[in-house]
Amino acid sequence: MGTLHTYYTRPMSPPWSKPLDVDRLSEAEADIDFAVPLAELSRLRAQLASVSGEVRGSVHFRRMAGIAVAELTLNGTAHLTCQRCLESMDVGVEAAAQVGLIATEADAGRVPEELEPVLAPEGRISVGELVEEELLLTLPIVPLHSQAESGVCVVADAPSLARSGQEEEVQRPFAQLAELLKRE
Ligand SMILES: [Zn+2]
């Protein structure tokens, strides 16, 4: 009686993990909306022992001075672990970045100053990698609740907010290229 339907399908790789052709997208001035689960970003997970939550946002591609540009905006909430009390803490994330995508490190010098250079080897990068670069800069390296004078954690009702944006005047080279830029 009845048929047992069993589907042996491989889990499909989510759209945000697919490497994109940045030249083609920037010529087409494409827009991509995304939702990325933070627990699946391996470099972020390596830096922040436990991280979960999700960010959503969009990327708009365009060209500037012959460089493929990704305008990234994202927001969401990161669930982190406080390194003092080891309880969970939520950090709201709001970020906006203008990224200059370069195929090799040698191209870093061609990136206009207002852009953050990011490597897209062979002209390819995924939305997940773009988001991860931004979050590595935005999220606290050592997450901590705010502290009372007694030294204990104050667990606030509202999550703290980690924010980055292109309005900042501080030069924030992406972690990936920080070493390279230091040498110049
Ligand atoms: Zn704490």
Side-chain angles (χ1 to χ4, degrees):
M1 158 197 139
T3 313
L4 182 65
H5 292 282
T6 314
Y7 297 95
Y8 293 102
T9 49
R10 273 183 207 175
M12 276 189 19
S13 58
W16 56 261
S17 70
K18 296 200 173 92
L20 304 171
D21 180 337
V22 301
D23 278 329
R24 196 173 60 77
L25 291 173
S26 66
E27 294 291 351
E29 306 208 337
D31 290 287
I32 296 178
D33 293 331
F34 59 80
V36 178
L38 303 188
E40 293 185 34
L41 300 175
S42 56
R43 288 173 59 216
L44 194 66
R45 217 172 44 219
Q47 180 172 305
L48 297 161
S50 77
V51 57
S52 60
E54 185 183 75
V55 293
R56 291 170 176 272
S58 62
V59 193
H60 174 67
F61 288 91
R62 61 186 176 89
R63 294 192 81 79
M64 180 195 285
I67 300 272
V69 177
E71 294 177 352
L72 175 70
T73 57
L74 60 85
N75 66 75
T77 304
H79 307 301
L80 306 174
T81 301
C82 170
Q83 296 305 296
R84 189 185 297 119
C85 67
L86 303 180
E87 297 293 330
S88 66
M89 64 180 284
D90 285 354
V91 177
V93 183
E94 264 186 37
Q98 299 214 55
V99 173
L101 297 163
I102 51 176
T104 67
E105 291 188 359
D107 292 332
R110 292 174 50 224
V111 176
E113 256 182 39
E114 60 267 43
L115 302 179
E116 303 174 21
V118 166
L119 273 179
E122 295 174 16
R124 291 182 172 269
I125 196 165
S126 70
V127 165
E129 289 166 318
L130 277 173
V131 167
E132 187 167 48
E133 279 292 327
E134 190 60 26
L135 291 176
L136 284 168
L137 289 173
T138 307
L139 289 174
I141 292 168
V142 180
L144 292 171
H145 290 121
S146 52
Q147 199 175 9
E149 275 180 38
S150 59
V152 299
C153 285
V154 178
V155 181
D157 291 335
S160 60
L161 181 65
R163 202 172 198 159
S164 78
Q166 58 213 49
E167 73 275 7
E168 275 178 40
E169 287 180 23
V170 195
Q171 187 70 28
R172 299 180 309 133
F174 269 12
Q176 199 184 27
L177 285 179
E179 284 305 311
L180 175 75
L181 294 173
K182 251 182 245 166
R183 272 185 261 129
E184 287 179 345

